[in-house]
Amino acid sequence: MADLSKLVDEMSNLTVLEAAELAKMLEDKWGVSAAAAVAVAAGPAAGPAAAPAEEKTEFTVVLAAIGEKKIEVIKEVRAITSLGLKEAKDLVEGAPKPVKEGVNKDEAEKIKSQLEKAGAKV
């Protein structure tokens, strides 16, 4: 059996894009969705005895589809993320992918509007 703590340490060093790509690869290999697993894990906690839900303070902006203006979307992704041209192009072409994670609501709305103005679906 693999050393799980070593595996966790290695995964902690992944970038956001690498983690998203890993999740996609695992979903393809095992035919499961990470979103479904999270929903199942969170299901039992939601009951009458559960504490009131706190307002979400961190958001992840996910590029759902490129749209018709691919070059404009790549330019916006580069401006938002400070990625190089190749990395931004790979992110856009690999949609759906997270563009930015752990941002506040105002910044998430701003990023969403920038990408939608460029023609992307967020």
Side-chain angles (χ1 to χ4, degrees):
M1 182 162 180
D3 182 8
L4 297 179
S5 61
K6 181 180 176 186
L7 186 59
V8 169
D9 289 338
E10 289 179 20
M11 291 178 73
S12 297
N13 294 326
L14 294 176
T15 65
V16 173
L17 295 176
E18 291 170 335
E21 187 174 334
L22 174 63
K24 174 93 171 112
M25 291 170 68
L26 293 174
E27 287 173 0
D28 291 343
K29 177 152 180 106
W30 292 325
V32 296
S33 172
V38 170
V40 170
E54 294 181 24
E55 185 175 337
K56 191 172 180 179
T57 58
E58 290 189 355
F59 296 85
T60 300
V61 180
V62 178
L63 178 67
I66 300 170
E68 294 183 19
K69 300 178 183 177
K70 180 177 172 181
I71 294 172
E72 296 299 319
V73 174
I74 292 171
K75 286 180 182 178
E76 284 300 326
V77 168
R78 286 188 69 200
I80 293 166
T81 62
S82 301
L83 291 174
L85 179 59
K86 181 176 180 352
E87 292 83 6
K89 181 178 180 275
D90 291 345
L91 186 148
V92 169
E93 289 177 344
K97 291 240 180 170
V99 175
K100 200 149 190 183
E101 295 182 336
V103 296
N104 64 35
K105 186 174 184 174
D106 293 335
E107 186 176 355
E109 289 295 327
K110 179 182 173 191
I111 293 169
K112 179 181 177 187
S113 67
Q114 286 176 308
L115 290 171
E116 286 177 343
K117 185 177 178 185
K121 292 182 182 174
V122 181

